[in-house]
């Protein structure tokens, strides 16, 4: 069985290779995920999100460091994803703080923290700069992401 730090390393090394299957193998079947774009996702939704993101990634690179085991149950990691946002063709450099909880050699909770306003400035340009701080605008981003995920999931044989 991998240590928690080895599990985090395996997850992000797989992400660097856009290997969603290897990433998802680090998760328990009951995984709970949260980030500012997709909101709260559970189980199969989480695994499909990573599949979708890996499948559609453009000009993607990822670095990770500062993996810190807080105790036997929790760890954090800093990671940076650089990619072209497909909807606008704009370059995004997203700096993220991951928080993970572990049980039985798997990640059972994963939350990613980043500024949705900073992300929207990069991904959406002027509209993101002007309105990215606004909760209505942020909800529009979130709803679009959830819609894309549901469409992706509907296209799979579930």
């Amino acid at each position: 069985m991998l240590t928690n730090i080895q599990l985090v390393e395996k997850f992000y090394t797989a992400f660097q290779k856009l290997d969603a299957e290897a990433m998802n193998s680090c998760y328990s079947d009951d995984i709970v995920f949260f980030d500012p774009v997709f909101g709260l996702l559970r189980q199969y939704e989480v695994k499909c999100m990573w599949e979708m993101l890996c499948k559609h990634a453009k000009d993607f690179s990822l670095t990770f460091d500062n993996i810190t085991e807080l105790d036997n149950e929790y760890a954090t990691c800093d990671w940076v994803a650089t990619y072209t946002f497909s909807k606008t063709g704009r370059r995004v450099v997203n700096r993220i703080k991951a928080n993970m909880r572990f049980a039985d050699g798997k990640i059972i909770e994963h939350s990613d923290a980043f500024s949705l306003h900073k992300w929207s400035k990069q991904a959406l340009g002027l509209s993101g700069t002007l309105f990215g701080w606004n909760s209505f605008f942020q909800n529009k981003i979130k709803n679009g992401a959830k819609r894309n995920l549901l469409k992706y999931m509907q296209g799979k044989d579930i």
Side-chain angles (χ1 to χ4, degrees):
M1 187 182 310
L2 298 176
T3 67
N4 293 344
I5 288 180
Q6 289 170 328
L7 198 56
V8 173
E9 289 170 344
K10 177 182 176 185
F11 181 87
Y12 287 106
T13 300
F15 198 178
Q16 287 174 322
K17 298 172 187 171
L18 297 174
D19 184 349
E21 187 176 338
M23 293 169 68
N24 286 332
S25 75
C26 298
Y27 284 145
S28 75
D29 290 337
D30 294 327
I31 183 66
V32 176
F33 176 88
F34 179 85
D35 85 354
V37 172
F38 287 94
L40 184 64
L41 300 176
R42 295 178 186 278
Q43 300 160 336
Y44 189 67
E45 295 171 321
V46 180
K47 295 180 178 189
C48 285
M49 175 198 66
W50 290 123
E51 276 182 30
M52 179 182 77
L53 292 176
C54 288
K55 184 176 180 180
H56 295 116
K58 282 185 171 178
D59 307 318
F60 180 82
S61 68
L62 180 138
T63 59
F64 65 95
D65 63 9
N66 197 27
I67 300 172
T68 306
E69 193 167 33
L70 304 176
D71 58 28
N72 291 339
E73 201 174 1
Y74 293 94
T76 63
C77 176
D78 297 326
W79 62 283
V80 179
T82 304
Y83 57 95
T84 300
F85 184 58
S86 58
K87 190 173 178 183
T88 61
R90 295 180 58 90
R91 195 82 173 137
V92 173
V93 179
N94 199 13
R95 298 177 192 292
I96 301 157
K97 178 72 155 191
N99 297 283
M100 296 178 173
R101 185 174 176 211
F102 307 88
D104 301 321
K106 297 284 186 178
I107 301 166
I108 62 170
E109 293 175 9
H110 178 177
S111 66
D112 284 340
F114 59 90
S115 167
L116 189 51
H117 185 206
K118 285 181 184 172
W119 177 88
S120 67
K121 282 192 226 181
Q122 295 177 75
L124 304 173
L126 184 60
S127 63
T129 301
L130 296 176
F131 304 112
W133 57 270
N134 178 289
S135 62
F136 176 78
F137 191 82
Q138 289 184 358
N139 284 335
K140 190 174 172 183
I141 292 168
K142 293 174 190 181
N143 290 338
K146 278 277 186 130
R147 232 183 351 267
N148 288 341
L149 178 58
L150 287 173
K151 199 184 307 182
Y152 180 81
M153 290 172 66
Q154 287 169 353
K156 291 177 61 75
D157 289 330
I158 300 175

